[in-house]
Amino acid sequence: MRSGLTRGSQWAKFAEGLAPYESPASRMVSAAGSRAQLAKLFGGLEDKEVELLVFDLDFWARREQVPPDKFSTCFVMAGRGFGKTWCGARWVIKKAWQAKSVGALIGPTAADVRDTMIRGASGILALSPPGFTPRYEPSKRRVTWPNGVYAICYSADKPDRLRGPNAGWGWGDEPASWKHDMAAVDQLPLVLRIGTREHPPQLLLTGTPRPLKKIEDLLFTNAETQQLKPGVVLRTGSSLSNAANLAPSAIANMRALANTRWGQQEVLGRLLFDVPGAIFGSARWGRVHAEPHEYAQQLDRRIVSVDPSPTSETGSDETGIIVQGCKSSVLYGADGISLKRVSVLADLSRRASPREWATTAIRAYLEWGCDALVVEVNTGGEMVETLISTVAAEMGVSVNVKPVRATSAKSKRAEPVSALAEAGRIEFVGTFQKLEQQLSKFTGVNGRRDDRADAFCWGVHDLVFAEQFFAV
């Protein structure tokens, strides 16, 4: 019995019958039933055995804190105080013990990597057992274990640094807080390159959930059905699971907030897909199952609408490029104006240089037989019009450019469009997953990635409201 208490492999087998919130330690305490029984069980251990047990992380880990052996990406997404950092540090120590490849440690900032992931109370140094404590060299951004395995430290606020040496595993902490729209996530494949088909590179992420598009794209093939991508594992957990290690006052506050939307995210660790204040929350989108080009021939007008991005750098917004059209209804409103219906035909949005997106928009204009290329000129001004005209001339064609300029908040521009959608007067000819996801989360608050949604709204205004009012 005594030797079994100090073997991690024994705990892995013992853990098979545990609930997610249980650890071998908590089960044994519960089974003992009294202090006397605990003293009988553990009192005869030698000092060396006690030390081994204290640093046997498999013994203390709740099952929900243990990533599976096989995955390409595992996200431990849980509430505050769950023990996410403890979980990440434990996994890193295990990988360092087993692995022969280089590791990577990525935090929101260099200070977060140093103070939380490495030196923190639940960090790598604190959890490392005697004899396997790594050497941390801040000047080299490196953590090196006694067996020669090392990990390089990266800061997510400098994503371009993630282009260095090959690595076979990595731990990223609190990715929802990474700057530049989590651009570091896009760079990770450039780092995690060591592995085989049977044993691919592994990325462990730990953090509190937030409904960010980059997180949805990282985890799901379809965010609406929450279908995980192949090789992706999602572990969720509540702050309350770690109540034994948190202050009673903190637990009381958490329980009081658990039923609020904030509490569901920050305490219960749930990834919430609904967005309060979403302008298109009551939309009744139509759906047309037809070949888009054939369907487009039935429309009275067709346009390309563009919301340019000022840069094509990694992590920047894409340039929104939406092809849509409208057909006048046989019904008329009280003012005698035909009740037009908008049809979304194509989403060609992309991250591109100005010349590249201009070429894409012009080609779409020609392909779909459009009568206008509507483009926002808030960023770039007359240069945007000049760019399109220059590229069109080089292609030997001419286009009707209609510049538009925002003079008030996005929400004001989106509200009349939302009213059309709520009335069932906007339809998708096919499925446009990225555009539809943006519209489902569109609040009109600056700073969110709304490139596709912005281009869509500009187009609807030109198709429907230009003859009556232009609420921009």
Side-chain angles (χ1 to χ4, degrees):
M1 178 68 175
R2 179 178 301 174
S3 61
L5 285 173
T6 59
R7 292 185 193 163
S9 60
Q10 296 289 330
W11 302 127
K13 184 176 180 180
F14 177 77
E16 293 177 0
L18 299 180
Y21 57 84
E22 288 185 304
S23 65
S26 66
R27 171 61 70 87
M28 294 188 75
V29 169
S30 177
S34 67
R35 289 181 178 273
Q37 288 296 322
L38 284 174
K40 183 178 180 181
L41 184 62
F42 296 104
L45 295 178
E46 304 287 344
D47 289 348
K48 185 63 176 178
E49 292 175 317
V50 171
E51 183 179 73
L52 288 173
L53 189 60
V54 167
F55 287 97
D56 188 340
L57 303 181
D58 284 331
F59 179 66
W60 302 102
R62 304 191 305 276
R63 293 309 89 195
E64 59 191 359
Q65 291 179 301
V66 181
D69 291 332
K70 293 186 177 181
F71 63 84
S72 57
T73 299
C74 178
F75 200 144
V76 179
M77 185 180 292
R80 299 186 187 184
F82 169 87
K84 299 183 292 296
T85 303
W86 190 96
C87 168
R90 170 196 172 277
W91 183 79
V92 164
I93 293 168
K94 183 177 180 180
K95 293 297 291 186
W97 177 266
Q98 298 174 341
K100 297 180 181 179
S101 59
V102 176
L105 305 175
I106 312 101
T109 66
D112 292 314
V113 177
R114 180 191 66 228
D115 298 335
T116 301
M117 301 172 70
I118 298 175
R119 290 178 171 172
S122 298
I124 294 169
L125 296 180
L127 268 57
S128 294
F132 197 64
T133 300
R135 182 175 71 258
Y136 174 44
E137 301 173 276
S139 61
K140 296 182 179 180
R141 300 187 295 115
R142 182 173 294 194
V143 179
T144 306
W145 281 268
N147 63 355
V149 172
Y150 65 92
I152 300 176
C153 305
Y154 296 96
S155 172
D157 62 0
K158 297 179 179 178
D160 285 339
R161 285 193 175 180
L162 284 158
R163 295 176 178 269
N166 295 340
W169 52 274
W171 170 30
D173 193 41
E174 294 294 350
S177 299
W178 292 1
K179 292 182 179 179
H180 310 299
D181 193 35
M182 295 175 59
V185 169
D186 299 324
Q187 299 289 355
L188 286 174
L190 301 176
V191 174
L192 302 177
R193 300 193 294 262
I194 299 178
T196 64
R197 185 181 298 274
E198 293 76 19
H199 302 285
Q202 291 186 313
L203 172 64
L204 177 70
L205 298 172
T206 55
T208 304
R210 287 181 62 192
L212 300 177
K213 183 178 181 300
K214 185 61 71 69
I215 289 179
E216 294 176 8
D217 290 345
L218 179 69
L219 297 177
F220 304 110
T221 56
N222 187 326
E224 291 185 4
T225 62
Q226 299 184 37
Q227 180 180 353
L228 293 171
K229 290 182 175 179
V232 172
V233 174
L234 177 61
R235 290 287 174 88
T236 59
S238 167
S239 309
L240 303 176
S241 298
N242 199 30
N245 297 310
L246 301 176
S249 58
I251 293 298
N253 287 330
M254 289 177 180
R255 292 188 187 281
L257 294 169
N259 290 328
T260 66
R261 189 182 188 282
W262 184 91
Q264 290 182 50
Q265 175 175 285
E266 302 293 327
V267 177
L268 301 184
R270 294 175 181 170
L271 182 58
L272 304 177
F273 290 90
D274 63 301
V275 178
I279 292 175
F280 293 94
S282 301
R284 294 189 297 117
W285 306 110
R287 188 77 61 183
V288 177
H289 301 285
E291 201 288 316
H293 288 83
E294 293 180 3
Y295 190 81
Q297 298 306 310
Q298 306 173 28
L299 304 178
D300 299 324
R301 287 192 64 203
R302 293 173 296 278
I303 66 169
V304 179
S305 51
V306 180
D307 180 60
S309 172
T311 176
S312 60
E313 294 179 357
T314 300
S316 67
D317 282 3
E318 295 181 322
T319 290
I321 306 173
I322 307 296
V323 181
Q324 51 197 316
C326 71
K327 185 176 181 64
S328 297
S329 169
V330 296
L331 300 176
Y332 292 85
D335 56 1
I337 300 296
S338 174
L339 300 177
K340 296 177 180 178
R341 183 180 184 87
V342 175
S343 303
V344 178
L345 301 169
D347 179 2
L348 306 175
S349 305
R350 55 180 298 197
R351 183 172 291 113
S353 68
R355 179 171 290 273
E356 289 172 336
W357 67 250
T359 301
T360 298
I362 293 169
R363 286 175 176 169
Y365 178 95
L366 300 172
E367 176 186 345
W368 292 88
C370 298
D371 62 55
L373 196 161
V374 180
V375 58
E376 183 195 296
V377 295
N378 282 64
T379 301
E382 293 181 359
M383 289 173 42
V384 173
E385 298 177 68
T386 302
L387 168 69
I388 297 173
S389 299
T390 300
V391 174
E394 292 174 355
M395 296 171 64
V397 299
S398 61
V399 296
N400 175 28
V401 181
K402 297 182 69 173
V404 290
R405 184 182 296 274
T407 58
S408 60
K410 290 183 181 183
S411 58
K412 296 296 183 183
R413 186 162 66 251
E415 285 166 359
V417 181
S418 173
L420 283 185
E422 191 171 349
R425 290 172 53 195
I426 299 179
E427 61 190 15
F428 297 111
V429 185
T431 300
F432 304 98
Q433 183 178 3
K434 293 183 177 181
L435 170 61
E436 293 176 47
Q437 285 181 351
Q438 280 193 8
L439 290 171
S440 71
K441 296 175 171 59
F442 189 91
T443 61
V445 176
N446 289 331
R448 291 185 60 91
R449 172 160 289 177
D450 297 322
D451 34 43
R452 289 173 166 82
D454 281 341
F456 163 77
C457 287
W458 283 120
V460 174
H461 273 281
D462 185 74
L463 290 168
V464 178
F465 301 128
E467 298 173 0
Q468 304 163 57
F469 63 93
F470 202 67
V472 296

